[in-house]
Amino acid sequence: QVQLVESGGGLVQAGGSLRLSCSASGRSFSNYAMGWFRQAPEKEREFVAAIRWGGGNVDYAESVKGRFTISRDNAMTKVHLQMNSLKPEDTAVYYCAAWGVATGYKYWGQGTQVTVSS
């Protein structure tokens, strides 16, 4: 059974930092890109960052560039999102997802809440 499990969310003051992690299990994700998305209340889910397992190529939403860093471990079982200089507008449920060429973003985690207070 494929599972993506996020952790590391919580409450932080503006300007603070959090590190989210996503543990992947149930199949090999060596050919998948891994992404982070977020959804704030009454807003659509939006892309945050992505990383390709093999080459480590990364991509970020403009709103988080320079503040967030996505990384993965060499065992290709975990992906992390280091979030610095957090802003109240970063408040959302953050989701980890796995992207395949044939499947798109097929696999999703259950989400972890990030709340940034002003």
Side-chain angles (χ1 to χ4, degrees):
Q1 182 179 359
V2 174
Q3 272 197 315
L4 299 177
V5 179
E6 302 95 337
S7 61
L11 173 64
V12 64
Q13 288 188 332
S17 299
L18 282 175
R19 179 178 170 88
L20 304 184
S21 295
C22 173
S23 296
S25 63
R27 65 161 294 150
S28 170
F29 286 95
S30 60
N31 293 323
Y32 281 70
M34 301 298 292
W36 286 96
F37 291 76
R38 66 186 182 186
Q39 187 166 19
E42 301 182 357
K43 291 189 177 180
E44 292 188 356
R45 188 173 297 185
E46 64 175 0
F47 170 78
V48 175
I51 185 168
R52 295 181 65 86
W53 283 122
N57 292 339
V58 298
D59 190 23
Y60 296 96
E62 285 296 325
S63 59
V64 306
K65 278 184 179 178
R67 300 188 299 122
F68 291 11
T69 302
I70 189 170
S71 62
R72 82 285 190 256
D73 69 334
N74 289 334
M76 299 184 184
T77 59
K78 287 188 177 181
V79 61
H80 308 285
L81 186 68
Q82 178 66 42
M83 305 186 296
N84 299 328
S85 302
L86 283 161
K87 304 175 181 180
E89 51 264 44
D90 294 318
T91 295
V93 177
Y94 283 71
Y95 298 90
C96 171
W99 182 91
V101 173
T103 62
Y105 278 109
K106 177 179 180 179
Y107 303 107
W108 291 83
Q110 82 289 349
T112 185
Q113 177 70 47
V114 171
T115 303
V116 184
S117 63
S118 57

